[in-house]
Amino acid sequence: MLKASDHIKSIKPYVPGKPIEELERELGISDSIKLASNENPLGPSPLAIKALYNSVNDLNRYPDGNCYHLRQVLSEKLQVQPEEIVFGNGSNEIIELAVRTFLCPGDEALMAHPSFVVYSTIVQAVQGNNIVVPLKNWRHDLQKMASKVTKKTKIVFIANPNNPTGTINTKAELNTFMKRIPKKILVIVDEAYYEYVASSDYADSMKYFREGRNILILRTFSKIYGLAGLRIGYGIAGAEIIDAMNRIRQPFNVNSLAQRAAVAALKDEKHLEKTKLTNEKGKEYLYKELEALKITYIPTEANFIYILLKDMTSVEIYNSLLGKGVIIRPMGENTIRVTIGLPKENRKFIKALQEAVWTL
Ligand SMILES: *Cc1c(COP(=O)(O)O)cnc(C)c1O
């Protein structure tokens, strides 16, 4: 029998949000909603959809492995050099590229818990060691993380906003952290929800990039841009960091449809504003209803809310809501994460939650 190595077998499988189609097939129900993967409930920009229709005739051709047009548009928008951007099959792929490029077996990667689980999975896959620091008041405890640096530390992960809590680290916190952290360590700031953040105190990671620090900033088209199904994200870093990652990147890692849709999506400021407004209104509604139900939540800077349950486990609530056609994400023992949806989705979620609270 072929056996996988122990460090592979000990990896906990990633559990994605349940697809709507799967739930409906299993329960024989319809009109289900998914508030489990922080997707944009409005869908992608109409400009992106149009660009996709116009691209299908070229599908016999390999994509442009350099993402030339997207790179031009983005470098202009971000005011960075074209060679300071790397594109990935989702920003997940860039996490993997960075770890495989910069972490050797036995090296340490620092990260918070709970945070995005993909970090630890990939570190484990290359036989690195995960050094995990619990959140403090649901936020990254950057001081504590800085104190855990050793000679073996190669990478630090900071999800800002954090998933699953929706919390941010401030300018002052990141500043103190960057002063303490040795310059040769790669700091990966994962900003998958960057565009949603309203706080003026939100840490400015680009500042450290411009100062020439070893920082890799991750953004994605999966969240506010509504293109999760196409798989495209990007990283911003110094040209040497990008060049190293490009050496192991698959030559055609980003498909042609994704490249075209991303270019079009970047032009649609109106769709972004509409999405933010929908999210803000949904957030206010959910806060109000959760308070009425006396359910504790963590105020969010993103498009999802982390909810702390008292008398129910997350699995009980999850299963109860599934039965009512509402897919959310159970996180820890007593916590769930809910994506902010369209008004009618939010109402359906609250109604199902009320019923669950009353009956469980
Ligand atoms: C959703 C998410 C991502 C990105 O996902 P891709 O679809 O691979 O771009 C990255 N980091 C965090 C924290 C996320 O929540």
Side-chain angles (χ1 to χ4, degrees), residues 31-44:
D31 294 326
S32 306
I33 60 165
K34 182 182 176 204
L35 302 174
S37 302
N38 306 338
E39 295 145 341
N40 183 341
L42 295 172

Side-chain angles (χ1 to χ4, degrees), residues 37-38 89-93 95 115-116 119 159 161-163 190-193 218-223 228 231-233 304 337:
S37 302
N38 306 338
N89 194 259
S91 52
N92 270 318
E93 189 194 13
I95 298 169
S115 189
F116 196 46
Y119 311 146
N162 188 39
N163 176 3
D190 183 346
E191 298 181 341
Y193 304 94
L218 303 181
R219 308 254 175 96
T220 181
F221 288 93
S222 296
K223 301 291 160 54
R231 313 303 304 129
I232 177 165
F304 54 87
R337 193 195 67 198

Side-chain angles (χ1 to χ4, degrees), residues 122-135:
I122 296 171
V123 168
Q124 216 176 325
V126 304
Q127 293 181 277
N129 292 327
N130 289 301
I131 308 298
V132 175
V133 177
L135 299 180

